[in-house]
Amino acid sequence: METNTVADYVYRHNNVKGMYMVLIASASVFLDVWDLTAFGFVLTFFKATFLPVGIILGVSVAAANIGAIAGAILGGYLTDKFGRKRLLIYNMAVFVVFSFLIAVSTNIYQFIAFRLVVGFSIGSDVATGFSYIYEYISRGQRNHYYSLWAYSFSVVALIAVGSVFFLTREINNDSVWRYIFVIGGVFAAVILLLRTKITETPVWLYGNGKYRETKDVVKKVYGEDLDIGDSVERDHITVKNLINLFHKGLNRDLIFTFSLNGIVGFIGWGFGFYITYMLAVLKFLAFYQVLEADAIIYAFGFMGALLSPHMARHFGIYKSAVIPAIVASVAIFALFLTFDHIFPVYFVIPLSIVIIFMNYCGPMAYNAVLNEFIPTSLRGVGNGWNYMFNKITEAVSGLTSGAILVIVGLRFNTVILFLIVGSFTVIALVAGRSGYFRNHKVSDFHTSPDE
């Protein structure tokens, strides 16, 4: 059991800079969402530039996720070993450079290669960022960030809609997609500058025997001279840490979290990424009307994000996650019936609203769920595994959906999506029926079993 005074102090005291530090540390979440939504909105312009067909289109879309698979697991290990702040800076520096290289790529193969590297940096940074956040805010503050991913997703999607609307009016050619990556690079450069000013988490410093630095950080952030003694057990981070997580008796809890992850991944990429494309293919709306529909859909997503922590506090993590997942699965099946001409075509927009709303309301909080039960010494690795699984599902979904949509069409893609999301929902329904999730609400949780 972790009983050191540093962890106890940090988790009991609100960080007055908590909001600022969360925004700076979680910037890669915003960048990941920007890449997903903004690129999805300009996918038709990208296709007109490089003329990718079938599987190449899918690879182009999924490249960032493929890179993130390796980045998440390796970055999780590196952040546990070398520290949160160092990785936050290195990851963002890589993102800045390769975002601009993507913007000036001259062929589809350069584009794919650069996006693989950008994906690696995002994967590493998300694992690092969530580790940083959940070691630097109190237990009470954690409740406010329960839906961090969903907040980010919906807000950035709305910003992306507005940006694409402006860019397509000002830049009347197919190169409009390049500016999306320039904007991401500029934002990342600002975040990189701000990250140089943050401090390392005192929990990581203390666990790695850096007692003087721990004392200095606590004094700087909380204004108190904390009596810090030597740790009885120092964290020894080795390659074995990559698998130690699965020997902690948390496998059922991990399966529950990963299943939520799978739902989010397939809805986010197999469906969410291609919303604009699907509406354009249906041809019952003009392009700017499609963007307006996108804005409405993601506005409802933001409403779902706002509702998520309240549901989790009142009904518990289990119910607040699986019930929205079930509703989203049913809505996907109804969408299939719409594409099969059983329901009127204009049902696409309200059904899309239901799918995105329910996804953001429940399963999208999977990162917060994981960080409620993961041990501190394995937090980086745990977040790495979690995000790696997310990126595997997103890569598979983005790759297959891109090919299926182009080759076969909307109907077949949607029925496959229903079967996969439905399967993950069933797994969550079964795996989450443990006492840990069923008998607690978010406000009741300790930070983790060993804190």
Side-chain angles (χ1 to χ4, degrees):
M1 178 175 288
E2 186 172 280
T3 57
N4 73 70
T5 55
V6 175
D8 183 67
Y9 184 89
V10 169
Y11 298 139
R12 290 179 182 274
H13 291 76
N14 286 346
N15 189 329
V16 295
K17 296 182 180 179
M19 177 64 76
Y20 169 80
M21 301 180 84
V22 166
L23 290 174
I24 299 305
S26 65
S28 51
V29 174
F30 292 87
L31 292 171
D32 189 14
V33 177
W34 174 263
D35 178 87
L36 164 64
T37 54
F39 185 40
F41 296 149
V42 296
L43 192 59
T44 54
F45 299 100
F46 172 77
K47 285 181 62 182
T49 300
F50 290 137
L51 303 176
V53 294
I55 194 68
I56 296 299
L57 174 63
V59 172
S60 301
V61 169
N65 289 329
I66 295 170
I69 292 170
I73 190 63
L74 184 59
Y77 163 73
L78 292 175
T79 192
D80 281 341
K81 187 171 182 63
F82 297 112
R84 318 316 191 191
K85 178 180 178 179
R86 186 180 299 181
L87 264 293
L88 286 174
I89 291 174
Y90 291 168
N91 293 331
M92 199 52 56
V94 172
F95 185 96
V96 171
V97 172
F98 281 86
S99 289
F100 288 113
L101 288 176
I102 289 173
V104 298
S105 55
T106 58
N107 60 64
I108 191 68
Y109 301 105
Q110 288 181 0
F111 177 87
I112 291 172
F114 296 150
R115 264 175 66 78
L116 283 168
V117 179
V118 161
F120 184 94
S121 68
I122 288 178
S124 176
D125 205 65
V126 169
T128 303
F130 275 98
S131 300
Y132 187 94
I133 290 167
Y134 283 93
E135 285 180 4
Y136 225 151
I137 56 177
S138 69
R139 291 174 180 139
Q141 287 177 306
R142 288 185 178 195
N143 297 336
H144 297 295
Y145 305 113
Y146 181 76
S147 301
L148 176 61
W149 195 278
Y151 292 134
S152 305
F153 213 109
S154 50
V155 170
V156 175
L158 291 171
I159 294 173
V161 170
S163 300
V164 172
F165 183 84
F166 172 79
L167 288 172
T168 52
R169 284 186 174 274
E170 296 298 318
I171 304 168
N172 192 24
N173 60 65
D174 293 334
S175 67
V176 65
W177 65 268
R178 298 183 186 272
Y179 292 86
I180 294 301
F181 294 100
V182 171
I183 293 172
V186 171
F187 175 73
V190 173
I191 294 299
L192 176 61
L193 179 63
L194 294 175
R195 282 184 173 182
T196 61
K197 308 298 182 182
I198 65 175
T199 60
E200 181 58 82
T201 73
V203 175
W204 184 87
L205 289 170
Y206 185 76
N208 286 270
K210 300 179 183 295
Y211 307 123
R212 179 181 298 177
E213 293 95 324
T214 305
K215 189 177 181 69
D216 291 343
V217 169
V218 172
K219 175 68 174 177
K220 180 179 179 179
V221 176
Y222 299 97
E224 184 171 330
D225 286 312
L226 194 64
D227 184 17
I228 298 174
D230 290 358
S231 175
V232 177
E233 292 186 14
R234 289 179 57 178
D235 296 335
H236 297 287
I237 309 301
T238 68
V239 177
K240 289 183 179 179
N241 279 53
L242 291 172
I243 59 173
N244 283 347
L245 178 66
F246 302 100
H247 299 292
K248 289 286 185 178
L250 302 172
N251 291 336
R252 183 173 181 137
D253 304 320
L254 288 169
I255 291 173
F256 176 64
T257 304
F258 289 171
S259 62
L260 299 181
N261 216 322
I263 295 167
V264 171
F266 274 90
I267 289 180
W269 281 81
F271 173 72
F273 186 91
Y274 293 104
I275 287 178
T276 304
Y277 179 82
M278 288 189 293
L279 291 174
V281 168
L282 291 171
K283 295 181 180 180
F284 72 100
L285 296 173
F287 180 73
Y288 292 114
Q289 290 176 316
V290 170
L291 290 180
E292 291 171 358
D294 287 329
I296 294 171
I297 291 167
Y298 283 105
F300 274 92
F302 181 67
M303 292 170 60
L306 292 176
L307 183 62
S308 180
H310 300 289
M311 286 186 60
R313 281 198 295 271
H314 291 290
F315 301 109
I317 284 179
Y318 178 71
K319 290 181 180 179
S320 63
V322 298
I323 293 176
I326 292 170
V327 176
S329 299
V330 173
I332 293 172
F333 184 74
L335 188 66
F336 158 70
L337 297 178
T338 303
F339 291 147
D340 201 35
H341 308 297
I342 295 175
F343 294 150
V345 68
Y346 52 79
F347 272 34
V348 171
I349 294 177
L351 286 173
S352 298
I353 288 173
V354 172
I355 294 167
I356 295 298
F357 177 86
M358 290 298 169
N359 192 39
Y360 287 18
C361 184
M364 189 69 86
Y366 64 90
N367 275 295
V369 174
L370 176 98
N371 279 281
E372 292 292 355
F373 67 82
I374 210 74
T376 301
S377 60
L378 296 171
R379 178 162 282 124
V381 168
N383 278 296
W385 276 106
N386 193 39
Y387 196 59
M388 184 189 75
F389 184 76
N390 175 268
K391 285 304 166 185
I392 290 174
T393 61
E394 290 185 353
V396 171
S397 182
L399 182 64
T400 56
S401 292
I404 293 170
L405 283 169
V406 172
I407 298 171
V408 182
L410 304 178
R411 191 164 60 96
F412 190 62
N413 181 68
T414 308
V415 75
I416 292 177
L417 185 65
F418 163 71
L419 292 173
I420 294 174
V421 172
S423 297
F424 276 120
T425 300
V426 171
I427 294 172
L429 195 64
V430 175
R433 293 178 63 83
S434 65
Y436 187 76
F437 290 118
R438 294 183 66 193
N439 299 331
H440 292 83
K441 302 178 176 65
V442 170
S443 56
D444 298 330
F445 276 118
H446 294 295
T447 305
S448 83
D450 67 344
E451 292 172 357

